[in-house]
Amino acid sequence: MAGFTMSLNLLLLVAMVATNILSLYHLSSTTSFFQSTINSSQSSVPTVPNHLLRQLHTIRAAINHLTNHQPDPKSTSSTVTSRAAVSKDLLLYSRLSPIASACHNYPDLLHDYMNYTPYSLCPSDTDLVEKLILRGCHPLPRRRCFSRTPKNPSESKPESNVIWSYYACKSFDCLTTKFPDLGFDLSLEKSKSQFSNYKSELDLPVTQLLQIAKSANSVLRLGIDVGGGTGSFAAAMKAQNVTVLTTTMNFNAPYSEAVAMRGLVPLHVPLQQRLPVFDGVVDLVRCGRAVNRWIPVTVMEFLFFDLDRILRGGGYLWLDRFFSKKVDLENVYAPMIGKLGYKKVKWAVANKIDSKHGEVFLTALLQKPVAR
């Protein structure tokens, strides 16, 4: 019996080896067949579909474009020489970033921005930074240079916390004189007064906002001020124990630095970028005067839906003095806002003083449905 079992196992082993040898022979024969078929002009094997070939061509062209990108030939010879020294891997990484993918649409600006010496101080080019960010090239692609910082920052001297060489004004006093309504006077009392008085139906004091939320059994803990400038609203809400992040840009003035010196958080992001906040975690979103008719309609619609994304159910969207022509408000913006399906808590429209083309201001407080 034992001998029979051993013979059977040996037979099975021989059969398995023979099967594998036959399989290898068949595979090699098949491979040879396909190879000869491919090399033959009279092949009967179906050809690769044209749409796949086009996709392959596109992929190859994209790879070649990414790895062999050349500067604009219209540029001056000195500029081309300096750009040629730019590290290719820096350009490659900037182009492959899924968020900064728009960078490739502006090769001249990108090359100027990436023309720096690695492991040294970054160039002083704030204007170039803002231009790229506004064009969707954000986050910016630099990887190996050190950002510049003020030499002797001091809490008692606000001016010492800013690199003024970037700007025309060289002090906050200058900015306050030239732009008295932009909040460069960093005293908390003045910042609070901007959101504490009720002078017209367009105003929504912080105390009234908190009362509205309280009466609706809605808690305000976290907010975002879109286009919040110097952070005046965030400072007023901080006094009410509400944390507000401020999105801002440094247009010819140190807005981000002003927000930070108030002990607040500036988010240096453009209006067209998806906000770096998780879904449904924000209690309040305020859109300041930066959100106005000058924004392309499609971009504005995307902005509103992104704000809806981060707002929790029952949260509030506050459009503070939204500016447009009356006819556009009625025919374009009001229907766009209506798509959100929010409850109108406040909706006040007032004519712009000295209006020549029918411009109006809208202040609206809207509440997101708890559930859809």
Side-chain angles (χ1 to χ4, degrees):
M1 186 66 180
F4 174 77
T5 302
M6 183 177 296
S7 300
L8 180 61
N9 289 339
L10 181 61
L11 179 62
L12 290 175
L13 179 61
V14 171
M16 182 177 66
V17 171
T19 302
N20 288 338
I21 293 175
L22 288 174
S23 298
L24 289 173
Y25 174 77
H26 176 72
L27 180 60
S28 61
S29 300
T30 304
T31 303
S32 301
F33 169 76
F34 277 114
Q35 186 65 41
S36 62
T37 305
I38 291 173
N39 294 333
S40 173
S41 59
Q42 303 297 328
S43 172
S44 61
V45 179
T47 59
V48 180
N50 289 333
H51 72 278
L52 292 180
L53 290 174
R54 287 195 297 269
Q55 290 182 13
L56 179 60
H57 175 74
T58 301
I59 293 172
R60 286 175 175 171
I63 293 174
N64 290 333
H65 183 66
L66 287 172
T67 55
N68 299 299
H69 180 76
Q70 298 296 327
D72 188 352
K74 299 179 181 179
S75 304
T76 61
S77 58
S78 61
T79 305
V80 171
T81 302
S82 64
R83 289 176 177 175
V86 178
S87 177
K88 285 187 177 181
D89 68 316
L90 295 179
L91 290 173
L92 180 62
Y93 295 151
S94 71
R95 304 291 299 285
L96 293 179
S97 170
I99 300 177
S101 57
C103 293
H104 76 274
N105 294 324
Y106 308 95
D108 288 340
L109 288 177
L110 181 61
H111 272 279
D112 288 341
Y113 183 75
M114 297 301 290
N115 186 18
Y116 68 94
T117 303
Y119 310 111
S120 64
L121 286 177
C122 297
S124 302
D125 50 11
T126 299
D127 290 342
L128 186 57
V129 170
E130 304 297 318
K131 289 178 181 178
L132 282 169
I133 291 179
L134 286 177
R135 287 162 174 77
C137 182
H138 189 66
L140 296 177
R142 280 178 182 157
R143 294 291 188 268
R144 296 180 294 184
C145 70
F146 303 104
S147 61
R148 295 176 179 270
T149 56
K151 292 182 178 180
N152 299 301
S154 173
E155 185 177 353
S156 60
K157 297 179 180 180
E159 277 74 16
S160 67
N161 295 274
V162 178
I163 302 177
W164 292 100
S165 59
Y166 300 155
Y167 313 110
C169 274
K170 305 303 179 184
S171 68
F172 284 109
D173 288 339
C174 171
L175 291 170
T176 301
T177 302
K178 293 184 65 174
F179 312 105
D181 298 327
L182 296 185
F184 283 105
D185 185 340
L186 302 181
S187 63
L188 181 60
E189 291 75 14
K190 188 166 185 176
S191 300
K192 288 176 60 178
S193 66
Q194 182 181 349
F195 296 96
S196 60
N197 296 328
Y198 186 91
K199 298 179 180 179
S200 72
E201 58 184 342
L202 296 175
D203 292 321
L204 180 59
V206 168
T207 53
Q208 183 180 3
L209 173 64
L210 295 174
Q211 183 59 43
I212 290 173
K214 183 178 179 180
S215 62
N217 295 321
S218 181
V219 179
L220 298 183
R221 299 155 296 191
L222 178 63
I224 290 185
D225 190 10
V226 178
T230 59
S232 298
F233 175 67
M237 295 300 287
K238 182 180 179 181
Q240 303 295 330
N241 295 321
V242 180
T243 301
V244 174
L245 309 178
T246 302
T247 75
T248 189
M249 296 283 288
N250 280 29
F251 291 124
N252 303 316
Y255 289 94
S256 296
E257 292 93 327
V259 175
M261 279 185 281
R262 296 175 187 263
L264 305 167
V265 179
L267 299 178
H268 191 217
V269 297
L271 296 175
Q272 71 268 30
Q273 181 185 324
R274 183 181 186 272
L275 289 168
V277 180
F278 191 68
D279 302 359
V281 297
V282 175
D283 305 308
L284 170 69
V285 174
R286 172 183 174 268
C287 292
R289 299 187 186 185
V291 181
N292 278 305
R293 67 175 184 177
W294 64 269
I295 302 175
V297 173
T298 302
V299 175
M300 186 173 294
E301 186 173 41
F302 286 164
L303 171 63
F304 284 154
F305 274 90
D306 194 44
L307 300 182
D308 173 79
R309 177 186 64 81
I310 65 175
L311 270 175
R312 65 168 175 79
Y316 292 93
L317 172 61
W318 176 12
L319 302 178
D320 192 359
R321 288 176 172 80
F322 181 90
F323 176 67
S324 71
K325 293 182 179 180
K326 184 177 182 180
V327 63
D328 291 336
L329 177 62
E330 295 173 350
N331 298 330
V332 179
Y333 301 115
M336 182 188 300
I337 297 169
K339 291 180 182 178
L340 297 174
Y342 285 16
K343 175 184 176 182
K344 292 183 179 180
V345 180
K346 179 182 178 72
W347 186 276
V349 179
N351 294 325
K352 179 181 180 292
I353 299 176
D354 301 328
S355 172
K356 297 181 180 180
H357 304 286
E359 294 95 347
V360 297
F361 288 105
L362 164 69
T363 290
L365 184 64
L366 311 166
Q367 186 175 26
K368 181 177 178 177
V370 175
R372 286 193 172 106

